[in-house]
């Protein structure tokens, strides 16, 4: 069970919500229909998805809409649930979408203001399995910040690459790195991988493989060191590159290159 600091996570949610509302106010008419890195979703759809998930957390009823039968980007029950809100807001105006987003965010802020640390430590369903409500909210920070960056990339307004929300997003991604290195990339026992993030967000994250792979404080002589711009790291981990090879000249690989490239190609874990 993952205990996270309630005030820290709420502050990160406030930051990403402020960023999303501000960004929505900057967009022009054409921006709302631009495609994004999430298959099948426009900028409008990104905001509809964020609104929908937060509405469900408030206990709001899901929209009574029929989904088209042939949606290749919808691959599971969670995807189908997300798509209900996306479909519902495609028939409504941008002004209605933005107004509803503001109302939902305000209601969520009130809801969270009434929750203490004990509530955040309570067991809860999360997209990563049973954990704490606080872990769920940490995932919500990551998810919404990823979608904010999807919109920014689509409309050419790159910003909010540092701050509390991306730091919390990185905390959540870090929890997956042991699984990615040990299970997905099949790093052998006795090996280690050091991620060195550069640019807007700097951090060193070391993963050591013994009986299983786990994030550790520091490895003295890692098997491979990956020096990667933080922005690039997030886009790979978030599955935002599509079929493009994540290995490129922006990434430094020192040591076991074959292992390093295998880790990078297995790094995507969400979309």
């Amino acid at each position: 069970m993952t205990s996270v600091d309630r005030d820290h996570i709420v502050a990160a949610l406030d930051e990403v919500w402020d960023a999303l509302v501000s960004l929505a106010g900057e967009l022009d008419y054409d921006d709302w229909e631009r495609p994004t890195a999430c298959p099948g979703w426009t900028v409008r759809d990104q905001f509809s998805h964020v609104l929908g998930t937060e509405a469900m957390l408030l206990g709001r009823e899901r929209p009574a809409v029929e989904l088209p039968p042939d949606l290749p980007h919808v691959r599971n029950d969670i995807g189908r649930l997300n798509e209900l809100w996306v479909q519902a807001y495609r028939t409504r105006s941008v002004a209605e979408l933005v107004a509803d987003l503001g109302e939902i965010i305000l209601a969520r802020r009130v809801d969270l203001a009434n929750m203490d640390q004990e509530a955040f430590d309570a067991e809860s369903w999360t997209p990563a399995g049973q954990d704490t409500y606080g872990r769920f909210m940490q995932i919500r920070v990551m998810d919404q910040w990823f979608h904010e960056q999807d919109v920014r990339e689509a409309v050419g307004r790159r910003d909010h690459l540092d701050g509390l929300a991306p730091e919390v997003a990185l905390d959540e991604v870090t929890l997956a790195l042991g699984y990615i290195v040990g299970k997905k990339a099949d790093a052998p026992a006795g090996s280690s991988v050091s991620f060195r993030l550069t640019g807007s967000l700097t951090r060193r994250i070391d993963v050591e493989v013994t009986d299983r792979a786990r994030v550790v404080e520091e490895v003295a002589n890692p098997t491979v060191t990956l020096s990667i711009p933080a922005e690039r790291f997030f886009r790979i981990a978030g599955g935002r590159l599509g079929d493009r090879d994540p290995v490129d000249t922006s990434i430094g690989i020192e040591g076991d290159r074959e292992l390093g490239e295998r880790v990078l190609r297995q790094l995507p874990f969400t979309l």
Side-chain angles (χ1 to χ4, degrees), residues 166-219:
E167 288 275 359
V168 170
L170 182 54
D171 291 340
E172 180 58 34
V173 174
T174 298
L175 293 178
L177 290 180
Y179 171 77
I180 289 166
V181 170
K183 187 71 172 179
K184 291 185 66 183
D186 197 25
S191 66
S192 54
V193 179
S194 182
F195 297 86
R196 311 287 178 90
L197 272 59
T198 63
S200 58
L201 187 62
T202 60
R203 190 180 297 186
R204 173 175 175 167
I205 309 166
D206 287 0
V207 179
E208 185 176 54
V209 185
T210 52
D211 58 318
R212 65 181 179 88
R214 55 174 63 83
V215 174
V216 296
E217 281 295 321
E218 188 171 315
V219 175

Side-chain angles (χ1 to χ4, degrees), residues 221-253:
N221 296 295
T223 307
V224 61
T225 298
L226 301 172
S227 299
I228 178 170
E231 183 179 356
R232 179 76 174 170
F233 175 84
F234 279 124
R235 300 311 280 173
I236 298 172
R240 265 55 179 187
L241 299 185
D243 294 331
R244 289 171 288 167
D245 193 335
V247 182
D248 66 15
T249 56
S250 71
I251 302 171
I253 304 177

Side-chain angles (χ1 to χ4, degrees), residues 112-141:
L112 290 172
N114 292 318
M115 299 184 73
D116 57 13
Q117 185 64 48
E118 184 177 0
F120 264 57
D121 289 339
E123 187 172 356
S124 169
W125 178 90
T126 86
Q130 286 297 119
D131 207 321
T132 60
Y133 186 81
R135 171 77 186 285
F136 192 0
M137 293 305 98
Q138 178 169 282
I139 294 171
R140 292 302 305 135
V141 174

Side-chain angles (χ1 to χ4, degrees), residues 39-40 68-76 83:
D70 53 344
L71 294 173
H73 60 282
V74 177
R75 295 172 292 188
N76 52 42
E83 202 69 19

Side-chain angles (χ1 to χ4, degrees), residues 77-172:
D77 289 341
I78 292 177
R80 280 184 284 275
L81 188 57
N82 290 337
E83 202 69 19
L84 292 175
W85 296 90
V86 169
Q87 289 289 329
Y89 276 93
R90 284 179 177 160
T91 61
R92 302 177 67 178
S93 70
V94 167
E96 288 179 294
L97 170 57
V98 173
D100 287 355
L101 178 69
E103 185 271 323
I104 290 293
I105 287 174
L106 178 59
R108 283 284 289 136
R109 282 174 161 154
V110 171
D111 200 38
L112 290 172
N114 292 318
M115 299 184 73
D116 57 13
Q117 185 64 48
E118 184 177 0
F120 264 57
D121 289 339
E123 187 172 356
S124 169
W125 178 90
T126 86
Q130 286 297 119
D131 207 321
T132 60
Y133 186 81
R135 171 77 186 285
F136 192 0
M137 293 305 98
Q138 178 169 282
I139 294 171
R140 292 302 305 135
V141 174
M142 180 190 74
D143 183 70
Q144 292 178 93
W145 183 75
F146 273 13
H147 290 303
E148 178 202 339
Q149 295 306 311
D150 292 333
V151 172
R152 291 189 179 281
E153 180 181 64
V155 302
R157 294 176 181 270
R158 301 318 299 266
D159 200 359
H160 197 198
L161 295 170
D162 57 8
L164 188 55
E167 288 275 359
V168 170
L170 182 54
D171 291 340
E172 180 58 34

Side-chain angles (χ1 to χ4, degrees), residues 9-24:
I9 299 300
V10 170
L13 284 167
D14 282 335
E15 180 181 293
V16 76
W17 285 334
D18 285 345
L20 283 164
V21 170
S22 177
L23 179 57

